[in-house]
Amino acid sequence: MTERIFQAEDSSKDEESLRPTKFDDFIGQRDILENLKVFIEACKKRGNSLDHVLLSGPPGLGKTTLAGIIAGELGSNLTITSAQVISKGADLARFLTLLNEKDMLFIDEIHSLSRNLEEILYPAMEDYKIDLVLGEGITAQSVQIPLKNYTLVGATTRNGMISEPLKNRFGIQLRLDYYTDEEMKQIVSRSATILNLNIEESACLEIGRRSRKTPRIANHLLRRVRDFADVKNDGFVSIEICKIALERLGVDELGLDNTDRKILECMIDRYKGGPVGLKSIAVAVVS
């Protein structure tokens, strides 16, 4: 007998709001969550701001989501930016000086910060102050600006590219790992509930299994499968319509898409299994 999950209707929920907002809604990464709960509870008891946090791991695993949950648990305001948009010391100073007591600043892909900006961050993280040089030449002046006690949350997909001096200033360092198939199934099921979908449990597992153990990919695939279900199956996401949709999207049972297969075929057929450089693969695949 086919198992089904019938989701309750709730049109007030925003379809785009699939990110968990509290620890209880976050699926997977159990050890990280348990440790964070201890760190947060401890800083609440002391009345201090949370120590600076570094989140690393492959893209799409929930680093930004986790930063939002931390801010929510602490009742703090969260400012989100990316290292790519911080090009000058003045840009970084503006973000830091606008923070209030116990606020949080999230910098995505923090490994991309220039060394000059890192130098500004060192005293900002340790002593809660920034030193800026205004003007040029003999008219240049050094200005020291005090900061409120805040928490910096850095996220990176390339942990090895962060300089050791910057990395060592993060008191809490956490690495997110890929999710299991069962966790991916639960993530898809939760997202389906928010999207108000009528979906088979086996379809949740199938989508999760083909999502490369990455929630972001799973949510993207779920939306596209929903489109096929709405048009071809009266909105019901059965395992049959799920497989048809994923096949039409070019996503195979291993989660590989057309580009992935072209790369593998190139390595096997043209270069006899390698070795081969990335530039050579790129030229061969797009040509």
Side-chain angles (χ1 to χ4, degrees):
M1 181 177 179
T2 303
E3 294 180 324
R4 298 186 181 184
I5 300 176
F6 292 96
Q7 310 296 354
E9 295 184 358
D10 186 358
S11 59
S12 65
K13 290 185 177 179
D14 185 354
E15 291 188 351
E16 302 300 322
S17 300
L18 299 183
R19 293 182 187 271
T21 57
K22 52 188 178 180
F23 283 131
D24 291 342
D25 294 334
F26 196 101
I27 299 168
Q29 314 294 344
R30 183 170 57 184
D31 291 341
I32 289 178
L33 297 187
E34 291 302 317
N35 288 341
L36 274 174
K37 290 177 183 178
V38 172
F39 302 149
I40 290 173
E41 185 63 26
C43 83
K44 283 182 177 180
K45 286 186 175 181
R46 292 192 297 266
N48 298 333
S49 59
L50 185 67
D51 206 349
H52 304 301
V53 181
L54 178 63
L55 302 173
S56 63
L61 298 189
K63 295 184 289 295
T64 305
T65 298
L66 203 52
I69 292 175
I70 295 172
E73 294 289 333
L74 289 169
S76 304
N77 295 318
L78 176 65
T79 300
I80 298 178
T81 187
S82 174
Q84 286 85 350
V85 304
I86 304 176
S87 58
K88 299 178 294 184
D91 298 331
L92 182 57
R94 178 172 60 85
F95 281 113
L96 292 171
T97 54
L98 289 175
L99 297 174
N100 293 316
E101 197 76 15
K102 300 181 182 179
D103 279 358
M104 297 178 60
L105 173 63
F106 177 81
I107 301 181
D108 198 13
E109 301 299 350
I110 197 170
H111 63 266
S112 299
L113 285 178
S114 68
R115 292 296 178 260
N116 291 335
L117 293 176
E118 284 189 12
E119 293 289 342
I120 295 175
L121 266 183
Y122 297 158
M125 296 175 70
E126 289 187 316
D127 304 320
Y128 298 101
K129 64 182 181 181
I130 52 177
D131 297 308
L132 293 178
V133 177
L134 303 180
E136 298 179 356
I138 60 174
T139 62
Q141 293 182 337
S142 178
V143 178
Q144 188 175 92
I145 304 174
L147 302 173
K148 304 289 179 59
N149 286 355
Y150 74 100
T151 297
L152 175 65
V153 180
T156 178
T157 55
R158 299 182 180 183
N159 194 36
M161 292 183 64
I162 303 178
S163 67
E164 284 300 317
L166 177 58
K167 185 185 296 185
N168 292 338
R169 284 170 169 81
F170 287 96
I172 301 173
Q173 300 186 21
L174 306 168
R175 177 172 178 80
L176 279 69
D177 292 321
Y178 287 109
Y179 296 74
T180 66
D181 286 346
E182 179 60 29
E183 289 169 344
M184 291 302 303
K185 171 188 169 184
Q186 294 176 37
I187 289 170
V188 173
S189 178
R190 175 185 176 276
S191 296
T193 300
I194 296 174
L195 295 175
N196 195 28
L197 293 185
N198 183 4
I199 184 171
E200 284 185 351
E201 185 175 352
S202 54
C204 291
L205 178 60
E206 188 70 17
I207 294 172
R209 198 168 56 83
R210 298 197 192 193
S211 300
R212 305 190 187 197
K213 304 181 183 297
T214 304
R216 180 184 296 163
I217 296 176
N219 288 331
H220 289 169
L221 291 181
L222 178 62
R223 287 190 175 98
R224 300 291 69 80
V225 170
R226 176 187 61 174
D227 293 341
F228 279 88
D230 284 344
V231 174
K232 297 181 176 297
N233 206 35
D234 294 328
F236 174 53
V237 184
S238 63
I239 183 62
E240 291 80 12
I241 199 69
C242 176
K243 289 182 177 180
I244 291 172
L246 293 173
E247 182 179 353
R248 292 280 295 275
L249 293 170
V251 179
D252 65 18
E253 293 185 354
L254 297 177
L256 302 178
D257 58 22
N258 293 326
T259 301
D260 299 323
R261 289 189 288 273
K262 285 182 179 178
I263 292 173
L264 292 175
E265 290 169 0
C266 172
M267 294 175 63
I268 295 170
D269 298 335
R270 180 173 296 196
Y271 295 100
K272 308 304 178 184
V276 56
L278 291 177
K279 290 185 178 179
S280 300
I281 293 176
V283 171
V285 169
V286 300
S287 60

